[in-house]
Amino acid sequence: SRRIVIKIGTSSLILPNGKINLSNIDELAFVLSDLNNKGYEVILVTSGAVGVGLNVLGMDKRPADIATQQALASIGQVELMSLYTQMFRRYSQKVSQLLLTRDVTDFPTSRENAENALSALLSMNIIPIVNENDAIAVDEMDHQTKFGDNDKLGAIVAKLVDADLLIMLSDIDGLYDKNPTIYDDAQIFREIHEITDELREMAGGAGSRFGTGGMTSKLSAAQILFENRQEMVLTNGARIREIREIIAGKEIGTYFYR
Ligand code: ADP
């Protein structure tokens, strides 16, 4: 059976006005449950705890204070899981939660524990929903506890379970030769086989309002997969329905493989 990891970014979960993107979450639940029914092993890596926390408290921007961000992640994570649980239940799909810290990359025992939990869940036909433990793993500079960003977490999880494919859902159709939200003549790359410095340059700086990764972090994720001879498709979170076609091999988004 094929193992698929799907990583969804905050920009696909939270609307620009700060409300929850219910149709995206519902579609995601539908498509992933359907895949699970058809025998695929599916793991969801989700961002969005802080974004949902802001929504719960009716705040409109991420506070500068780190402890407040931790609190928001802690508040938002429960609400996010509650949303997923409800949406997946509509399709009779059971889910579980795994909150990871960098322990799983730094300590072999922790890695083995995570691997064991994930494979037990998959063998029980449950879709594990993975996020970074953002209440504990603090800001981007904290290399002791933090993975870096959730794109990297997606790649680490894909590596952990030896996934056949990582599908990365962003707010953009794929990787372009320049930022398409700034330049209308930007051209999409259909395939990428190597992460070059030139490519990193094209990927530019950080992206959307809530997201923290930007294209640079998507390239770093692809690099981790390349080292492990794994594959990744970068596509738009507005195209969740096309996940089945992507798995079937249709050319959608940007396909990263060696
Ligand atoms: P998400 O939170 O969904 O993962 P990000 O905001 O982290 O999304 O990254 C996507 C954003 O990266 C795009 O909306 C775009 O503004 C920006 N970007 C910068 N350079 C590029 C590029 N070369 N190709 C595509 N997107 C780019």
Side-chain angles (χ1 to χ4, degrees):
S1 121
R2 290 191 73 194
R3 235 170 225 201
I4 318 281
V5 175
I6 320 270
K7 186 264 166 182
I8 189 158
T10 304
S11 58
S12 306
L13 297 169
I14 314 277
L15 295 163
N17 66 6
K19 304 251 188 202
I20 310 291
N21 192 330
L22 292 170
S23 62
N24 270 3
I25 299 180
D26 188 28
E27 253 179 49
L28 189 67
F30 171 62
V31 172
L32 300 193
S33 304
D34 185 55
L35 285 173
N36 186 68
N37 287 352
K38 288 172 178 158
Y40 289 92
E41 293 179 321
V42 180
I43 294 163
L44 176 63
V45 175
T46 185
S47 307
V50 173
V52 174
L54 289 171
N55 174 272
V56 170
L57 297 186
M59 293 165 69
D60 62 0
K61 77 179 210 297
R62 195 182 265 260
D65 176 56
I66 303 287
T68 312
Q69 289 186 31
Q70 290 173 257
L72 282 164
S74 172
I75 294 161
Q77 180 64 30
V78 200
E79 185 62 21
L80 180 63
M81 280 311 297
S82 161
L83 275 165
Y84 278 128
T85 308
Q86 288 176 61
M87 294 296 195
F88 276 98
R89 190 176 288 135
R90 297 182 66 185
Y91 308 103
S92 307
Q93 177 62 55
K94 295 187 178 100
V95 298
S96 76
Q97 170 184 266
L98 269 98
L99 296 178
L100 302 183
T101 62
R102 257 193 56 169
D103 281 9
V104 300
T105 55
D106 294 349
F107 303 109
T109 314
S110 303
R111 182 174 61 233
E112 215 178 294
N113 290 341
E115 276 170 14
N116 291 345
L118 283 164
S119 67
L121 288 161
L122 292 174
S123 71
M124 294 159 93
N125 273 318
I126 286 169
I127 296 183
I129 302 182
V130 182
N131 196 1
E132 176 150 30
N133 192 349
D134 282 326
I136 299 301
V138 176
D139 81 28
E140 310 276 311
M141 297 288 98
D142 181 0
H143 299 298
Q144 295 303 308
T145 53
K146 207 67 188 148
F147 290 103
D149 56 74
N150 263 27
D151 295 329
K152 197 167 171 199
L153 177 62
I156 287 164
V157 170
K159 193 174 160 189
L160 210 57
V161 301
D162 198 23
D164 297 293
L165 183 64
L166 170 64
I167 300 177
M168 184 125 359
L169 300 170
S170 183
D171 63 349
I172 204 93
D173 284 344
L175 177 69
Y176 290 76
D177 59 359
K178 49 193 154 192
N179 189 340
T181 62
I182 301 172
Y183 304 97
D184 352 310
D185 64 336
Q187 297 283 318
I188 194 166
F189 290 107
R190 286 299 168 195
E191 292 183 3
I192 297 289
H193 307 282
E194 200 191 348
I195 310 302
T196 59
D197 289 342
E198 195 194 2
L199 217 53
R200 286 188 193 277
E201 195 111 333
M202 289 171 182
S208 58
R209 187 159 68 107
F210 286 115
T212 45
M215 278 301 125
T216 315
S217 73
K218 271 89 197 146
L219 295 184
S220 305
Q223 183 62 49
I224 293 172
L225 292 182
F226 280 176
E227 282 157 16
N228 215 31
R229 299 250 155 219
Q230 289 175 291
E231 303 176 3
M232 174 176 119
V233 172
L234 172 64
T235 186
N236 200 319
R239 296 170 175 275
I240 289 168
R241 277 181 190 272
E242 294 172 15
I243 286 176
R244 282 171 292 196
E245 292 159 68
I246 291 173
I247 291 169
K250 198 172 159 199
E251 193 180 78
I252 293 167
T254 304
Y255 182 27
F256 295 79
Y257 70 100
R258 284 276 277 263

Short mmCIF file of all heavy atoms in Angstrom, two decimals, residues 7-13 47 151 168-182 186-187 189 199 201-218 234-235 237, ligand 1:
data_model
loop_
_atom_site.label_atom_id
_atom_site.label_comp_id
_atom_site.label_asym_id
_atom_site.label_seq_id
_atom_site.Cartn_x
_atom_site.Cartn_y
_atom_site.Cartn_z
N LYS A 7 1.04 17.75 3.96
CA LYS A 7 1.33 18.86 4.88
C LYS A 7 0.49 20.06 4.45
O LYS A 7 0.54 20.50 3.30
CB LYS A 7 2.83 19.21 4.84
CG LYS A 7 3.22 20.27 5.87
CD LYS A 7 3.26 21.64 5.29
CE LYS A 7 3.31 22.72 6.36
NZ LYS A 7 3.29 24.08 5.79
N ILE A 8 -0.31 20.57 5.38
CA ILE A 8 -1.14 21.73 5.06
C ILE A 8 -0.67 22.94 5.87
O ILE A 8 -0.39 22.84 7.06
CB ILE A 8 -2.65 21.43 5.26
CG1 ILE A 8 -3.50 22.58 4.72
CG2 ILE A 8 -3.00 21.10 6.71
CD1 ILE A 8 -4.93 22.19 4.37
N GLY A 9 -0.55 24.07 5.17
CA GLY A 9 -0.03 25.30 5.79
C GLY A 9 -1.15 26.16 6.36
O GLY A 9 -2.32 26.00 6.01
N THR A 10 -0.76 27.05 7.26
CA THR A 10 -1.73 27.95 7.90
C THR A 10 -2.57 28.71 6.88
O THR A 10 -3.78 28.88 7.06
CB THR A 10 -0.97 28.94 8.81
OG1 THR A 10 -0.19 28.19 9.73
CG2 THR A 10 -1.92 29.82 9.59
N SER A 11 -1.94 29.12 5.78
CA SER A 11 -2.67 29.93 4.79
C SER A 11 -3.81 29.14 4.13
O SER A 11 -4.72 29.74 3.57
CB SER A 11 -1.71 30.47 3.74
OG SER A 11 -1.05 29.40 3.10
N SER A 12 -3.76 27.81 4.18
CA SER A 12 -4.85 27.00 3.64
C SER A 12 -5.93 26.73 4.69
O SER A 12 -7.01 26.26 4.36
CB SER A 12 -4.33 25.66 3.12
OG SER A 12 -3.29 25.85 2.20
N LEU A 13 -5.61 27.00 5.95
CA LEU A 13 -6.54 26.69 7.04
C LEU A 13 -7.26 27.93 7.57
O LEU A 13 -8.36 27.84 8.11
CB LEU A 13 -5.79 26.03 8.20
CG LEU A 13 -5.13 24.68 7.88
CD1 LEU A 13 -4.19 24.27 9.01
CD2 LEU A 13 -6.19 23.61 7.66
N SER A 47 -0.20 22.74 10.21
CA SER A 47 0.17 23.95 10.95
C SER A 47 -1.13 24.52 11.50
O SER A 47 -2.15 23.86 11.49
CB SER A 47 0.80 24.98 10.01
OG SER A 47 1.84 24.40 9.30
N ASP A 151 7.16 22.94 7.30
CA ASP A 151 7.54 22.32 6.03
C ASP A 151 8.61 21.27 6.30
O ASP A 151 8.58 20.16 5.80
CB ASP A 151 8.07 23.37 5.04
CG ASP A 151 6.97 24.35 4.66
OD1 ASP A 151 5.80 23.94 4.63
OD2 ASP A 151 7.29 25.52 4.40
N MET A 168 2.68 18.79 -0.37
CA MET A 168 2.76 20.01 0.41
C MET A 168 1.75 21.01 -0.12
O MET A 168 1.82 21.41 -1.27
CB MET A 168 4.19 20.52 0.25
CG MET A 168 4.46 21.68 1.05
SD MET A 168 5.80 21.76 2.20
CE MET A 168 6.78 20.45 2.41
N LEU A 169 0.76 21.35 0.70
CA LEU A 169 -0.29 22.28 0.28
C LEU A 169 0.05 23.68 0.77
O LEU A 169 0.17 23.92 1.97
CB LEU A 169 -1.64 21.84 0.84
CG LEU A 169 -2.13 20.46 0.41
CD1 LEU A 169 -3.35 20.06 1.22
CD2 LEU A 169 -2.44 20.42 -1.08
N SER A 170 0.19 24.62 -0.18
CA SER A 170 0.52 25.99 0.18
C SER A 170 -0.58 26.93 -0.34
O SER A 170 -1.67 26.48 -0.68
CB SER A 170 1.88 26.34 -0.43
OG SER A 170 2.25 27.65 -0.05
N ASP A 171 -0.30 28.22 -0.40
CA ASP A 171 -1.31 29.15 -0.93
C ASP A 171 -0.97 29.54 -2.37
O ASP A 171 -1.44 30.53 -2.89
CB ASP A 171 -1.39 30.40 -0.04
CG ASP A 171 -0.10 31.19 -0.02
OD1 ASP A 171 0.94 30.69 -0.51
OD2 ASP A 171 -0.12 32.32 0.50
N ILE A 172 -0.11 28.72 -3.00
CA ILE A 172 0.38 29.03 -4.33
C ILE A 172 0.43 27.73 -5.13
O ILE A 172 0.54 26.66 -4.55
CB ILE A 172 1.77 29.71 -4.17
CG1 ILE A 172 2.13 30.57 -5.34
CG2 ILE A 172 2.88 28.73 -3.84
CD1 ILE A 172 1.73 32.00 -5.14
N ASP A 173 0.31 27.82 -6.48
CA ASP A 173 0.17 26.61 -7.30
C ASP A 173 1.43 25.76 -7.41
O ASP A 173 1.37 24.61 -7.86
CB ASP A 173 -0.30 26.97 -8.71
CG ASP A 173 -1.79 27.33 -8.73
OD1 ASP A 173 -2.48 27.00 -7.74
OD2 ASP A 173 -2.24 27.93 -9.70
N GLY A 174 2.57 26.33 -7.05
CA GLY A 174 3.82 25.57 -7.15
C GLY A 174 4.99 26.50 -6.97
O GLY A 174 4.83 27.63 -6.48
N LEU A 175 6.17 26.03 -7.36
CA LEU A 175 7.37 26.88 -7.30
C LEU A 175 7.52 27.61 -8.64
O LEU A 175 7.48 27.00 -9.71
CB LEU A 175 8.60 26.02 -7.03
CG LEU A 175 9.93 26.80 -7.02
CD1 LEU A 175 10.03 27.73 -5.82
CD2 LEU A 175 11.12 25.84 -7.03
N TYR A 176 7.69 28.91 -8.56
CA TYR A 176 7.85 29.75 -9.75
C TYR A 176 9.28 30.28 -9.84
O TYR A 176 10.03 30.25 -8.84
CB TYR A 176 6.89 30.93 -9.70
CG TYR A 176 5.44 30.55 -9.89
CD1 TYR A 176 4.72 29.95 -8.85
CD2 TYR A 176 4.77 30.78 -11.09
CE1 TYR A 176 3.38 29.59 -9.01
CE2 TYR A 176 3.44 30.43 -11.27
CZ TYR A 176 2.75 29.84 -10.22
OH TYR A 176 1.43 29.49 -10.38
N ASP A 177 9.65 30.80 -11.02
CA ASP A 177 11.01 31.35 -11.18
C ASP A 177 11.19 32.69 -10.47
O ASP A 177 12.30 33.18 -10.33
CB ASP A 177 11.41 31.42 -12.66
CG ASP A 177 10.48 32.28 -13.49
OD1 ASP A 177 9.50 32.81 -12.92
OD2 ASP A 177 10.73 32.42 -14.69
N LYS A 178 10.07 33.31 -10.06
CA LYS A 178 10.09 34.46 -9.16
C LYS A 178 8.75 34.52 -8.45
O LYS A 178 7.82 33.82 -8.85
CB LYS A 178 10.41 35.75 -9.90
CG LYS A 178 9.60 36.00 -11.16
CD LYS A 178 10.20 37.13 -12.00
CE LYS A 178 9.80 36.93 -13.45
NZ LYS A 178 10.49 37.76 -14.39
N ASN A 179 8.67 35.35 -7.41
CA ASN A 179 7.44 35.40 -6.61
C ASN A 179 6.24 35.84 -7.46
O ASN A 179 6.15 36.98 -7.88
CB ASN A 179 7.64 36.35 -5.43
CG ASN A 179 6.48 36.27 -4.44
OD1 ASN A 179 5.39 35.81 -4.77
ND2 ASN A 179 6.73 36.72 -3.23
N PRO A 180 5.29 34.92 -7.71
CA PRO A 180 4.17 35.23 -8.60
C PRO A 180 3.16 36.22 -7.99
O PRO A 180 2.34 36.77 -8.72
CB PRO A 180 3.51 33.87 -8.82
CG PRO A 180 3.91 33.06 -7.66
CD PRO A 180 5.23 33.56 -7.19
N THR A 181 3.25 36.45 -6.68
CA THR A 181 2.34 37.43 -6.10
C THR A 181 2.86 38.86 -6.36
O THR A 181 2.15 39.83 -6.16
CB THR A 181 2.14 37.22 -4.58
OG1 THR A 181 3.40 37.37 -3.92
CG2 THR A 181 1.62 35.82 -4.29
N ILE A 182 4.09 38.94 -6.83
CA ILE A 182 4.68 40.25 -7.16
C ILE A 182 4.80 40.42 -8.68
O ILE A 182 4.52 41.48 -9.23
CB ILE A 182 6.06 40.43 -6.48
CG1 ILE A 182 5.90 40.32 -4.95
CG2 ILE A 182 6.69 41.77 -6.86
CD1 ILE A 182 7.20 40.29 -4.18
N ALA A 186 5.73 35.55 -13.87
CA ALA A 186 6.43 34.42 -13.23
C ALA A 186 6.01 33.10 -13.88
O ALA A 186 4.84 32.92 -14.21
CB ALA A 186 6.11 34.39 -11.74
N GLN A 187 6.97 32.21 -14.08
CA GLN A 187 6.70 30.91 -14.73
C GLN A 187 6.82 29.79 -13.70
O GLN A 187 7.77 29.77 -12.92
CB GLN A 187 7.75 30.65 -15.82
CG GLN A 187 7.74 31.66 -16.96
CD GLN A 187 6.60 31.42 -17.92
OE1 GLN A 187 6.30 30.28 -18.28
NE2 GLN A 187 5.92 32.50 -18.32
N PHE A 189 7.57 26.06 -12.29
CA PHE A 189 8.41 24.90 -12.59
C PHE A 189 7.55 23.65 -12.45
O PHE A 189 6.90 23.48 -11.42
CB PHE A 189 9.57 24.78 -11.60
CG PHE A 189 10.63 25.83 -11.73
CD1 PHE A 189 10.74 26.85 -10.79
CD2 PHE A 189 11.54 25.79 -12.79
CE1 PHE A 189 11.73 27.82 -10.91
CE2 PHE A 189 12.54 26.76 -12.90
CZ PHE A 189 12.64 27.77 -11.97
N LEU A 199 18.04 28.40 -7.40
CA LEU A 199 16.65 28.13 -7.05
C LEU A 199 16.30 28.78 -5.71
O LEU A 199 15.23 29.38 -5.56
CB LEU A 199 16.47 26.61 -6.96
CG LEU A 199 15.17 26.02 -7.45
CD1 LEU A 199 14.85 26.46 -8.86
CD2 LEU A 199 15.25 24.50 -7.39
N GLU A 201 17.56 31.38 -4.49
CA GLU A 201 17.47 32.82 -4.76
C GLU A 201 16.06 33.17 -5.27
O GLU A 201 15.44 34.13 -4.82
CB GLU A 201 18.50 33.18 -5.83
CG GLU A 201 18.77 34.64 -5.94
CD GLU A 201 20.18 34.99 -5.45
OE1 GLU A 201 20.74 34.25 -4.61
OE2 GLU A 201 20.70 35.97 -5.93
N MET A 202 15.56 32.35 -6.19
CA MET A 202 14.23 32.58 -6.79
C MET A 202 13.13 32.46 -5.76
O MET A 202 12.08 33.07 -5.87
CB MET A 202 13.96 31.55 -7.90
CG MET A 202 14.79 31.74 -9.13
SD MET A 202 14.56 30.32 -10.23
CE MET A 202 15.69 30.77 -11.55
N ALA A 203 13.39 31.61 -4.77
CA ALA A 203 12.38 31.36 -3.75
C ALA A 203 12.20 32.54 -2.81
O ALA A 203 11.16 32.68 -2.16
CB ALA A 203 12.74 30.10 -2.96
N GLY A 204 13.19 33.41 -2.77
CA GLY A 204 13.07 34.67 -2.04
C GLY A 204 12.79 34.54 -0.55
O GLY A 204 13.16 33.56 0.07
N GLY A 205 12.10 35.53 -0.01
CA GLY A 205 11.89 35.61 1.43
C GLY A 205 10.63 34.91 1.88
O GLY A 205 10.05 34.11 1.16
N ALA A 206 10.19 35.23 3.08
CA ALA A 206 9.00 34.63 3.67
C ALA A 206 7.75 35.02 2.90
O ALA A 206 7.74 35.98 2.14
CB ALA A 206 8.88 35.02 5.13
N GLY A 207 6.70 34.27 3.07
CA GLY A 207 5.48 34.47 2.28
C GLY A 207 4.35 35.18 2.98
O GLY A 207 4.45 36.36 3.31
N SER A 208 3.28 34.44 3.21
CA SER A 208 2.01 35.02 3.62
C SER A 208 2.03 35.56 5.05
O SER A 208 2.99 35.41 5.79
CB SER A 208 0.95 33.94 3.50
OG SER A 208 1.32 32.84 4.30
N ARG A 209 0.91 36.13 5.43
CA ARG A 209 0.78 36.79 6.72
C ARG A 209 0.96 35.83 7.90
O ARG A 209 1.74 36.07 8.80
CB ARG A 209 -0.61 37.44 6.80
CG ARG A 209 -0.80 38.31 8.02
CD ARG A 209 -1.93 39.29 7.80
NE ARG A 209 -3.22 38.61 7.73
CZ ARG A 209 -4.12 38.67 8.69
NH1 ARG A 209 -3.87 39.33 9.79
NH2 ARG A 209 -5.27 38.05 8.56
N PHE A 210 0.22 34.73 7.87
CA PHE A 210 0.27 33.79 8.99
C PHE A 210 1.37 32.75 8.84
O PHE A 210 1.96 32.31 9.81
CB PHE A 210 -1.07 33.08 9.16
CG PHE A 210 -2.13 33.96 9.74
CD1 PHE A 210 -3.25 34.30 9.00
CD2 PHE A 210 -2.00 34.47 11.03
CE1 PHE A 210 -4.24 35.13 9.54
CE2 PHE A 210 -2.98 35.29 11.57
CZ PHE A 210 -4.11 35.62 10.82
N GLY A 211 1.61 32.34 7.59
CA GLY A 211 2.63 31.31 7.35
C GLY A 211 4.00 31.84 7.76
O GLY A 211 4.24 33.03 7.76
N THR A 212 4.87 30.92 8.12
CA THR A 212 6.20 31.37 8.52
C THR A 212 7.26 30.84 7.58
O THR A 212 8.39 31.31 7.60
CB THR A 212 6.53 30.88 9.95
OG1 THR A 212 6.16 29.51 10.04
CG2 THR A 212 5.80 31.69 10.99
N GLY A 213 6.89 29.88 6.74
CA GLY A 213 7.89 29.18 5.95
C GLY A 213 8.37 29.92 4.71
O GLY A 213 9.54 30.25 4.58
N GLY A 214 7.46 30.22 3.81
CA GLY A 214 7.83 30.75 2.50
C GLY A 214 8.43 29.65 1.65
O GLY A 214 8.51 28.50 2.07
N MET A 215 8.81 30.00 0.41
CA MET A 215 9.31 28.99 -0.52
C MET A 215 10.66 28.40 -0.10
O MET A 215 10.95 27.25 -0.39
CB MET A 215 9.46 29.59 -1.92
CG MET A 215 8.19 29.65 -2.70
SD MET A 215 7.45 28.02 -2.94
CE MET A 215 5.82 28.33 -2.28
N THR A 216 11.48 29.18 0.58
CA THR A 216 12.79 28.69 1.01
C THR A 216 12.65 27.43 1.86
O THR A 216 13.39 26.48 1.70
CB THR A 216 13.53 29.78 1.83
OG1 THR A 216 13.37 31.02 1.14
CG2 THR A 216 14.99 29.47 1.97
N SER A 217 11.64 27.45 2.74
CA SER A 217 11.47 26.29 3.61
C SER A 217 10.91 25.09 2.84
O SER A 217 11.15 23.95 3.20
CB SER A 217 10.60 26.65 4.81
OG SER A 217 9.27 26.77 4.43
N LYS A 218 10.17 25.38 1.73
CA LYS A 218 9.69 24.26 0.89
C LYS A 218 10.89 23.59 0.22
O LYS A 218 10.93 22.36 0.07
CB LYS A 218 8.74 24.76 -0.18
CG LYS A 218 7.29 24.80 0.20
CD LYS A 218 6.62 25.79 0.76
CE LYS A 218 5.37 25.86 1.42
NZ LYS A 218 5.37 26.84 2.49
N LEU A 234 4.47 20.01 -4.62
CA LEU A 234 4.03 21.27 -4.02
C LEU A 234 2.85 21.78 -4.83
O LEU A 234 2.95 21.96 -6.04
CB LEU A 234 5.19 22.28 -4.07
CG LEU A 234 4.86 23.71 -3.66
CD1 LEU A 234 4.46 23.79 -2.20
CD2 LEU A 234 6.07 24.62 -3.91
N THR A 235 1.71 21.97 -4.15
CA THR A 235 0.54 22.46 -4.87
C THR A 235 -0.30 23.36 -3.97
O THR A 235 0.05 23.59 -2.81
CB THR A 235 -0.30 21.28 -5.43
OG1 THR A 235 -1.35 21.79 -6.25
CG2 THR A 235 -0.91 20.45 -4.32
N GLY A 237 -3.39 24.68 -1.72
CA GLY A 237 -4.38 24.19 -0.77
C GLY A 237 -5.80 24.36 -1.29
O GLY A 237 -6.74 23.73 -0.79
P1 ADP B 1 2.14 28.32 3.45
O1 ADP B 1 1.92 28.95 4.79
O2 ADP B 1 0.87 27.97 2.76
O3 ADP B 1 3.08 27.17 3.49
P2 ADP B 1 4.02 30.38 2.65
O4 ADP B 1 3.48 31.74 2.86
O5 ADP B 1 4.98 29.85 3.62
O6 ADP B 1 2.78 29.41 2.46
O7 ADP B 1 4.73 30.30 1.19
C1 ADP B 1 4.03 30.61 0.00
C2 ADP B 1 4.35 32.02 -0.50
O8 ADP B 1 5.73 32.13 -0.93
C3 ADP B 1 3.60 32.46 -1.75
O9 ADP B 1 2.30 32.91 -1.46
C4 ADP B 1 4.47 33.59 -2.32
O10 ADP B 1 4.06 34.83 -1.82
C5 ADP B 1 5.86 33.30 -1.74
N1 ADP B 1 6.90 33.09 -2.77
C6 ADP B 1 8.11 33.72 -2.80
N2 ADP B 1 8.85 33.33 -3.85
C7 ADP B 1 8.12 32.41 -4.54
C8 ADP B 1 8.36 31.60 -5.72
N3 ADP B 1 9.51 31.68 -6.42
N4 ADP B 1 7.39 30.74 -6.13
C9 ADP B 1 6.23 30.63 -5.41
N5 ADP B 1 5.94 31.36 -4.30
C10 ADP B 1 6.86 32.25 -3.85
#
